Amino acid sequence: MRFVVALLIALIIPAAALAWTTQGGHTMAPNVYGIEVSGGFPDVQLAVYVPVQRHLEVALFATFHYFGPITKEEVRLGNSFGTRVKLNVVDRGRFQMSLLARPSFYVSYKPDIKVGIQASIPELVMGYDVMSRLHLHWGTRFSPTFLFTTDYRVSVHLPLLFHLGLEGRVAKNVNIFTTFEAGPIWGFGPGFDSCTPAPEQGMVQCNKLSRAPSLDAIFRAMVGFVFVFGKGLN
């Protein structure tokens, strides 16, 4: 409700066109830094934005995950730490388009312990300044993830996600945003041991089985705000 009220206020009060966004196709100007705090389902996130030069920015982020694919009922706890690198390639009037990569390191500690690396094929992010204080953004991303268990087994997860969201300005140096993301995720894992007790033999018998590829679905809904500061803020 607070987000809706703030967005309505932002649309009513006249202001200059958006000069920066963090979720859409814009990049922040040099010497402008940002802090993002966001939360929702299935994670919460903190990010710090550091512009490198015009049309290129870097953000360092830390995320706490408390759930996984919506097709799984089990709670999955973990953290990821990584970098978002955004390169603006089109900036024409109200329309912007950028390439975004977000490589990260992942640690899972429930239901089992795993560590992983998320590679990042550059995703496409597009945005359009609908009104003077409202930015619509959308895009796709494909981020292969490799997870390693404590017994050195490797599984591969291939998510193909589509996102849509809005970002609005509520003050000169504050934006609020909401983002919805969804798509399928394919999982591939190694063979695993199926072990059953054999009391008559006084031992445990294990058989090597193969694991079929899995298909699950991911849904993500986030709301957050970004505070920016610096000499280059207009």
Side-chain angles (χ1 to χ4, degrees):
M1 181 61 68
R2 291 180 180 178
F3 172 78
V4 174
V5 173
L7 187 57
L8 289 176
I9 294 174
L11 296 177
I12 293 173
I13 300 175
L18 280 171
W20 59 271
T21 65
T22 55
Q23 310 303 307
H26 286 284
T27 53
M28 290 188 291
N31 300 317
V32 177
Y33 303 87
I35 299 176
E36 172 191 318
V37 178
S38 58
F41 178 86
D43 47 47
V44 294
Q45 182 170 268
L46 173 67
V48 178
Y49 291 84
V50 181
V52 178
Q53 60 183 27
R54 184 62 179 165
H55 304 305
L56 178 63
E57 70 180 25
V58 174
L60 306 177
F61 67 87
T63 306
F64 170 68
H65 309 275
Y66 62 88
F67 210 82
I70 58 175
T71 47
K72 304 284 188 182
E73 296 183 356
E74 60 191 17
V75 174
R76 297 189 176 189
L77 302 181
N79 290 96
S80 59
F81 308 90
T83 304
R84 290 196 304 224
V85 181
K86 182 193 291 186
L87 175 65
N88 177 256
V89 293
V90 176
D91 190 354
R92 295 183 178 178
R94 293 175 176 264
F95 177 76
Q96 306 85 32
M97 182 172 67
S98 294
L99 297 177
L100 178 64
R102 54 178 100 196
S104 63
F105 174 74
Y106 179 79
V107 180
S108 171
Y109 36 89
K110 185 177 181 179
D112 48 10
I113 298 177
K114 295 180 181 179
V115 296
I117 298 174
Q118 178 176 283
S120 184
I121 297 174
E123 58 191 87
L124 190 62
V125 179
M126 291 173 283
Y128 186 81
D129 295 330
V130 180
M131 302 179 71
S132 62
R133 288 195 172 197
L134 183 63
H135 183 76
L136 174 69
H137 57 88
W138 67 95
T140 62
R141 70 182 174 108
F142 178 67
S143 303
T145 303
F146 304 87
L147 295 177
F148 305 86
T149 62
T150 53
D151 58 353
Y152 307 106
R153 298 172 188 253
V154 183
S155 59
V156 181
H157 300 267
L158 305 175
L160 178 59
L161 304 179
F162 303 87
H163 89 262
L164 177 67
L166 292 171
E167 183 168 357
R169 177 175 296 178
V170 294
K172 178 180 179 180
N173 59 340
V174 179
N175 276 13
I176 56 177
F177 66 87
T178 181
T179 301
F180 300 93
E181 192 172 47
I185 177 172
W186 292 270
F188 302 88
F192 61 94
D193 293 325
S194 174
C195 300
T196 56
E200 66 280 0
Q201 301 178 7
M203 59 185 297
V204 175
Q205 181 178 1
C206 296
N207 298 315
K208 201 74 170 180
L209 301 176
S210 61
R211 177 182 176 185
S214 62
L215 176 60
D216 296 299
I218 292 179
F219 174 77
R220 189 168 181 254
M222 302 292 289
V223 176
F225 71 89
V226 183
F227 171 76
V228 299
F229 58 94
K231 297 180 180 180
L233 183 62
N234 295 322

